[in-house]
DNA sequence: CGGTGTCTTGAAGTCCGTCAATCCCCGTGG
DNA sequence: CCACGGGGATTGACGGACTTCAAGACACCG
């Protein structure tokens, strides 16, 4: 499907938003849409990936498959996020849709030539890469904590921030974007431990659960304290 | 001290290597050298950092200080590595020298205007950022393993790769760049556990220790197996 | 020779992982 | 409508792995 940028939900936030309408139109002619169902794989591990993508709707996860077959979640991708590595195309990461998602796909060489043509695009991608790096390091700090309670509390706070409109205040009520299995996977814990810690958070009055995935923050300060602990 | 690129040990590998001699000379006029002693801090957490740097000799660590005062190592920086985030200058990371080190320091705005002037520089920094991202995710995968033996084995393999000249074969004999405390910090373990696991690796014949930090790989295949497990 | 810092080794305790049973929610089909 | 079944989530009991606490070994330096 051809790209129609005029109606793109991330046209003001994605990397391509630094281009003017004409430039964007030129780029759009070289890309196309793709819809992914939940669980569908965008880039498979071990394949030589020579394309890249911007996520417009939905959510993706970046995982690595260890030598022993264990999956590990390395990052989440939100709308306007960019996926693609130009310089080492043999990638050992796998990109999987968490929910039904839509991406703008481009061939690597097309984006590279577009960067030559429009230097602002390279700057925008640099910015995205640095943001991704920051997010990755935040996750590293979280996963490195020795206390499981702190990890789970921190993860919930992170999701609350991500679910919020404002960048400084967490959402008070939101849905976890991940299953327990995926939460456990991000933190290097087991499903059971995550479940137990969430239960503990509810028992001590920091949160209230609504349904499987729903979370309501009752005492964010307590949650932050636990995340620090 | 003014920069003298002609004798720079990373002149062929750093981000600025994409510039020609004249361009590099222009950039060099806006930067200066700084020497750091082991343990000295380059950028302190909580400060508004508005400068960036390329490491020419030595080694740095990137750490985050948690709310509870715990330090966590997020990344190591090797010569030719770049440090600096342009887009969110309030950084909660701290950059510390592991050994005596030398850096090329630049003001953020100077680098930004240089990127405008020389688009190749933005491309080069994008490449570095993506490499850093990849390294960060590799560390995340390592730190996320549930088995301490696998983590330590993987860390040693990683250091062996980094110490090697060739990118595909690990060095057979090398020095650990980090103290036990820093190793433990990277993996989210304790000093004692790291020490015990290294001892175990030696007892099972995978490695031999020489002095405090020296490692000799006796059975790299076994080490890789353990790292996978 | 004593002091300090780093590393190692040992013993006891705690937290998390493993295994297993159960529950809950939903969709399916009799 | 209710029974059945499957996937995800919760809960419990137990064992093992790592942490904690403490002591000792080793090198380096005054």
């Amino acid at each position: 499907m051809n790209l129609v940028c005029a109606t793109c939900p991330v046209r003001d936030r994605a990397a391509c938003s630094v281009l003017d309408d004409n430039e964007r139109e030129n780029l759009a002619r070289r890309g196309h849409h793709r819809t992914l169902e939940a669980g569908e794989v965008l880039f498979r591990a071990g394949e030589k990936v020579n394309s890249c993508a911007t996520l417009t709707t939905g959510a993706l996860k970046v995982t690595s498959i260890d030598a022993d077959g264990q999956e590990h979640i390395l990052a989440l991708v939100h709308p306007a996020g960019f996926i693609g590595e130009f310089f080492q195309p043999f990638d050992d990461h796998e990109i999987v849709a968490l929910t039904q998602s839509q991406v703008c796909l481009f061939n690597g060489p097309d984006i590279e030539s577009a960067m030559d043509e429009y230097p602002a695009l390279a700057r925008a991608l640099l910015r995205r890469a640095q943001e991704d790096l920051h997010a990755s390091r935040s996750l590293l700090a979280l996963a490195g904590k020795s206390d499981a309670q702190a990890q789970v509390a921190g993860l919930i706070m992170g999701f609350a921030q991500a679910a919020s409109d404002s960048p400084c205040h967490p959402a008070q009520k939101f849905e976890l974007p991940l299953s327990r299995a995926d939460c456990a996977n991000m933190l290097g814990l087991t499903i059971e431990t995550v479940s137990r810690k969430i239960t503990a958070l509810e028992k001590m009055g920091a949160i209230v659960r609504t349904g499987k995935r729903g979370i309501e923050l009752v005492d964010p300060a307590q949650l932050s304290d636990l995340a620090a602990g």
Side-chain angles (χ1 to χ4, degrees), chain A:
Chain A
M1 196 196 333
N2 282 337
L3 300 183
V4 183
C5 297
T7 60
C8 176
V10 297
R11 61 169 285 132
D12 297 326
R13 294 148 51 212
C16 51
S17 66
V18 297
L19 303 178
D20 67 30
D21 288 347
N22 278 336
E23 295 168 345
R24 197 201 290 256
E25 181 62 30
N26 279 334
L27 183 58
R29 271 196 284 275
R30 291 179 263 180
H32 62 279
H33 267 304
R34 180 167 163 199
T35 301
L36 300 165
E37 296 305 317
E40 199 174 342
V41 178
L42 177 58
F43 298 145
R44 193 169 299 280
E47 273 178 3
K48 179 158 76 169
V49 173
N50 202 16
S51 51
C52 51
T54 290
L55 180 64
T56 55
T57 65
L60 311 176
K61 64 177 174 182
V62 181
T63 69
S64 77
I65 313 293
D66 295 356
D68 57 343
Q70 284 293 311
E71 176 187 342
H72 196 127
I73 296 185
L74 302 175
L76 300 183
V77 183
H78 300 293
F82 181 82
I83 309 105
E85 305 185 0
F86 304 113
F87 307 107
Q88 36 192 14
F90 286 95
D91 202 359
D92 52 348
H93 299 160
E94 190 149 308
I95 316 291
V96 183
L98 288 169
T99 64
Q100 183 182 303
S101 303
Q102 278 208 335
V103 294
C104 278
L105 267 175
F106 296 91
N107 286 324
D110 284 344
I111 287 290
E112 297 207 47
S113 64
M115 279 196 282
D116 290 336
E117 207 169 341
Y118 314 122
L121 185 59
R123 295 280 299 266
L125 290 175
L126 173 58
R127 174 173 197 149
R128 292 240 146 247
Q130 291 198 345
E131 286 171 357
D132 287 349
L133 181 59
H134 200 269
S136 173
R137 288 178 174 172
S138 298
L139 181 55
L140 188 53
L142 190 61
K145 288 188 176 297
S146 46
D147 181 14
Q149 189 70 271
Q151 292 183 61
V152 172
L155 189 67
I156 290 177
M157 283 303 290
F159 286 149
Q161 301 278 4
S164 163
D165 308 322
S166 105
C168 41
H169 292 299
Q172 198 233 334
K173 208 168 174 181
F174 62 97
E175 296 273 311
L176 292 176
L178 294 158
S179 69
R180 295 288 185 274
D182 282 337
C183 288
N185 223 325
M186 284 190 82
L187 298 174
L189 300 170
T190 59
I191 297 176
E192 295 94 324
T193 302
V194 172
S195 179
R196 271 187 260 265
K197 294 309 175 190
I198 292 180
T199 306
L201 289 175
E202 188 171 32
K203 278 200 178 128
M204 67 183 68
I207 63 170
V208 171
R209 273 182 292 190
T210 60
K212 295 272 189 207
R213 301 275 188 94
I215 296 282
E216 188 177 342
L217 295 184
V218 178
D219 190 347
Q222 187 182 14
L223 208 58
S224 297
D225 279 359
L226 290 166

